[in-house]
C-alpha cells in the first residue's frame, strides 16, 4: 500500500496589506521590501477569523476535490505556529468540529515553516502502515496574531493563509509519495522564536510589556542557514532516490524570501518556469506556504496528474525537510 496526495485546497483572507500600507506603519519603503524580499503584499485575516477558520475553508476545497465525504476522513492533522489556542483545544480539533468530523484522531504539530513537509511524512507513515486511509492535512496560519507591527524586521515578511490536502491510500506505485526527509536542530532555536506565552516566559504583565508574545528573528543569520539547508536537502533527497533535477516537473520551495528561493533554485539549476513563486502576493505564510503555492499551480493548470513535485522547507526550531511527491489529484474545477 502506498500513500498519495489526492487533492489540494487553499484559502486566502480577503484583506490585503501592501508594502505601501506598511510604509505608513513602520520605517520602511516599498522599494526596500521588494528588493530584499520580493514581497509586494500579504493577506491578513480579519479580527473575527481565526486560524481554524482559514484551515476549515482550505479543507473544504481539498475534500471536495478529492471526491470524498467528510465521514471517510479518518485522521486530521494541522501544522501551525499560530494556533487558535495556546495549549488546547488543538486547531485540528477545531477544524474537525467545523467540518463535522467526529470520532477520529485530530492533533496539531509544531514544526514552523517546515510543518507541511512534516505532515506529509506523518500521513505517509500512517497510510503505508495500514492504520489510516484518508488523512486530512492542513497548514493554517494567522501569523498576524503573533507579529509586532512596530517591528519592521518581521512585520513586512509574514502573511495569513491556509492550505490543505487529502493523503489517501493507493495500490498504484505511479501515484505514490516517493520519499520525505526531515530533521530538526534545537541549537538554533533562539534565532527564530516566539519567546513568550509558554512555560519559559508565561503570560504575565512584565512579559507582555516586553512584547515576548511576538515573533523575533535574527533575519540575516536565518537567511544564510536557510539557503544552505534548503540546498542540501534537495541534493540529499535526489541522490537518495537516484533522481536527477531534470526529472522534477515542479520545484515548490517554502516561500520566505525571493532571494532565498533564487539562490537555491540557481544552485540546483531548476528553471524559473519549474519553480513555484507566490511570495510576491502572499509573503511568508509558514506552514501554509507550500500547500498555498501548490494550490496556485493547480488552479493555474501548471500541475497535472502524475507530475513529480519536489517540496523543500525550512523554519523555526530549526526544522527542515524535503519531499518527493507525485501529484495524484485528478479533478479540475
Ligand atoms: N525596512 C528598511 N530597512 C530595514 C528593514 C525594513 N523593513 N528591516 C531591516 N532593515 C535594515 C536593518 O536595520 C539594517 O540596517 P543597518 O544596516 O543600518 O543596520 C539593514 O536594513 C540590513 O538589515 P539586514 O537584516 O542585514 O537585511 P537583510 O538583507 O538580511 O534582509 C531580511 C532582512 C529579514 C529580509 C532577510 O534577512 C531574510 O529574509 N531573512 C530570512 C527570513 C526568513 O527566511 N525567515 C523565515 C524562515 S522560515
Amino acid at each position: 500500500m502506498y500513500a498519495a496526495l489526492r487533492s489540494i485546497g487553499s484559502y486566502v483572507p480577503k484583506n490585503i496589506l501592501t508594502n505601501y500600507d506598511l510604509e505608513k506603519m513602520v520605517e520602511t519603503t516599498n522599494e526596500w521590501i521588494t528588493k530584499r524580499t520580493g514581497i509586494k503584499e500579504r493577506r491578513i485575516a480579519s479580527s473575527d477569523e481565526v486560524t481554524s477558520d482559514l484551515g476549515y475553508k482550505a479543507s473544504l476545497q481539498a475534500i471536495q476535490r478529492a471526491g470524498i465525504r467528510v465521514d471517510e476522513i479518518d485522521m486530521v492533522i494541522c501544522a501551525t505556529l499560530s494556533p487558535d489556542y495556546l495549549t488546547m483545544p488543538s486547531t485540528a480539533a477545531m477544524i474537525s468540529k467545523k467540518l463535522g468530523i467526529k470520532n477520529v484522531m485530530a492533533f496539531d504539530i509544531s514544526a514552523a515553516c517546515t510543518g507541511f513537509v512534516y505532515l506529509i511524512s506523518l500521513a505517509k507513515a500512517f497510510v503505508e502502515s495500514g492504520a489510516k486511509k484518508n488523512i486530512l492535512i492542513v497548514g493554517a496560519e494567522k501569523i498576524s496574531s503573533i507579529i509586532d507591527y512596530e517591528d519592521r524586521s518581521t512585520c513586512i515578511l509574514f502573511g495569513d493563509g491556509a492550505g490543505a490536502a487529502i493523503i489517501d491510500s493507493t495500490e498504484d506505485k505511479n501515484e505514490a509519495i516517493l520519499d520525505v526527509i526531515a530533521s530538526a536542530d534545537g541549537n538554533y532555536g533562539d534565532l527564530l522564536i516566539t519567546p513568550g506565552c509558554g512555560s519559559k516566559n508565561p503570560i504575565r504583565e512584565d512579559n507582555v510589556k516586553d512584547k515576548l508574545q511576538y515573533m523575533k528573528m535574527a533575519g540575516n543569520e536565518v537567511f544564510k542557514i536557510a539557503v544552505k539547508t534548503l540546498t542540501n536537502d534537495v541534493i540529499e533527497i535526489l541522490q537518495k532516490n537516484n533522481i536527477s533535477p531534470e526529472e522534477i516537473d515542479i520545484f515548490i520551495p517554502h516561500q520566505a524570501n525571493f532571494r532565498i528561493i533564487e539562490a537555491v533554485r540557481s544552485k540546483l539549476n531548476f528553471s524559473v518556469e519549474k519553480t513555484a513563486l507566490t511570495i510576491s502576493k502572499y509573503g511568508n505564510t509558514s506552514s501554509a506556504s507550500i500547500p498555498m503555492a501548490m494550490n496556485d499551480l493547480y488552479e493555474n493548470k501548471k500541475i497535472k496528474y502524475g507530475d513529480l513535485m519536489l517540496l523543500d522547507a525550512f523554519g523555526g526550531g530549526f526544522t527542515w525537510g524535503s519531499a518527493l511527491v507525485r501529484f495524484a489529484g485528478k479533478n479540475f474545477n
Side-chain angles (χ1 to χ4, degrees):
M1 196 58 76
Y2 302 101
L5 186 141
R6 189 62 64 194
S7 69
I8 189 72
S10 161
Y11 174 74
V12 288
K14 301 215 165 20
N15 305 332
I16 296 175
L17 182 70
T18 66
N19 292 350
Y20 296 106
D21 296 326
L22 285 162
E23 281 184 355
K24 294 178 203 137
M25 296 159 68
V26 288
E27 209 183 318
T28 192
T29 59
N30 169 53
E31 196 196 348
W32 192 96
I33 303 172
T34 307
K35 203 166 145 215
R36 300 286 181 121
T37 71
I39 303 167
K40 297 260 184 211
E41 57 188 44
R42 64 292 288 142
R43 300 300 178 103
I44 303 294
S46 60
S47 55
D48 58 357
E49 269 179 322
V50 295
T51 300
S52 64
D53 292 323
L54 314 187
Y56 160 70
K57 287 176 184 163
S59 300
L60 276 181
Q61 207 172 46
I63 295 165
Q64 184 250 322
R65 286 173 177 169
I68 58 169
R69 300 185 312 271
V70 285
D71 63 10
E72 291 176 275
I73 293 168
D74 47 14
M75 185 155 88
V76 179
I77 328 174
C78 178
T80 183
L81 53 74
S82 48
D84 287 10
Y85 303 101
L86 181 61
T87 61
M88 58 187 165
S90 70
T91 304
M94 294 298 95
I95 293 170
S96 299
K97 180 187 88 170
K98 286 168 189 175
L99 289 167
I101 298 173
K102 285 185 190 146
N103 301 323
V104 306
M105 268 169 84
F107 60 97
D108 291 354
I109 62 157
S110 168
C113 303
T114 316
F116 200 72
V117 170
Y118 271 53
L119 286 176
I120 290 178
S121 177
L122 274 172
K124 179 177 185 289
F126 272 101
V127 167
E128 285 176 353
S129 73
K132 303 291 172 194
K133 284 196 167 61
N134 291 297
I135 302 177
L136 171 63
I137 57 171
V138 192
E141 303 286 4
K142 186 178 178 179
I143 306 184
S144 57
S145 65
I146 54 160
I147 289 291
D148 175 6
Y149 283 94
E150 291 180 347
D151 176 3
R152 68 178 183 175
S153 69
T154 53
C155 75
I156 58 149
L157 296 171
F158 293 90
D160 301 335
I166 294 292
I167 308 291
D168 69 3
S169 63
T170 179
E171 285 173 11
D172 184 353
K173 199 176 176 188
N174 296 319
E175 296 188 324
I177 296 168
L178 276 68
D179 196 13
V180 187
I181 55 163
S183 294
D185 187 345
N187 286 303
Y188 296 102
D190 286 345
L191 296 181
L192 182 47
I193 187 168
T194 311
C197 301
S199 63
K200 174 112 175 168
N201 301 300
I203 303 172
R204 277 196 326 245
E205 211 176 318
D206 53 338
N207 288 335
V208 172
K209 212 166 127 245
D210 290 341
K211 295 188 167 187
L212 298 192
Q213 69 276 29
Y214 295 128
M215 181 195 299
K216 323 268 177 218
M217 180 171 62
N220 205 272
E221 284 169 80
V222 175
F223 187 100
K224 286 179 214 148
I225 303 169
V227 172
K228 207 162 99 193
T229 310
L230 285 161
T231 309
N232 290 347
D233 266 355
V234 168
I235 293 168
E236 185 186 335
I237 200 166
L238 290 180
Q239 276 178 357
K240 185 178 164 210
N241 290 276
N242 205 15
I243 287 174
S244 70
E246 295 72 44
E247 290 173 81
I248 301 297
D249 294 303
I250 193 87
F251 176 48
I252 312 183
H254 170 49
Q255 308 284 311
N257 183 317
F258 178 70
R259 289 189 295 139
I260 297 180
I261 298 171
E262 262 307 288
V264 176
R265 184 195 69 71
S266 57
K267 270 197 186 137
L268 297 165
N269 277 327
F270 290 120
S271 67
V272 175
E273 296 71 42
K274 274 190 174 187
T275 305
L277 259 190
T278 53
I279 180 87
S280 67
K281 52 182 179 177
Y282 300 142
N284 182 348
T285 57
S286 192
S287 67
S289 101
I290 286 180
M292 284 171 75
M294 195 186 296
N295 184 69
D296 221 65
L297 294 164
Y298 176 77
E299 292 189 348
N300 288 304
K301 298 193 166 38
K302 287 187 181 155
I303 39 173
K304 59 182 187 310
Y305 177 81
D307 276 354
L308 183 57
M309 304 182 289
L310 173 58
L311 319 183
D312 193 15
F314 176 85
F318 285 161
T319 54
W320 61 91
S322 284
L324 281 167
V325 180
R326 291 256 175 226
F327 188 74
K330 288 176 181 163
N331 310 325
F332 274 110
N333 281 333

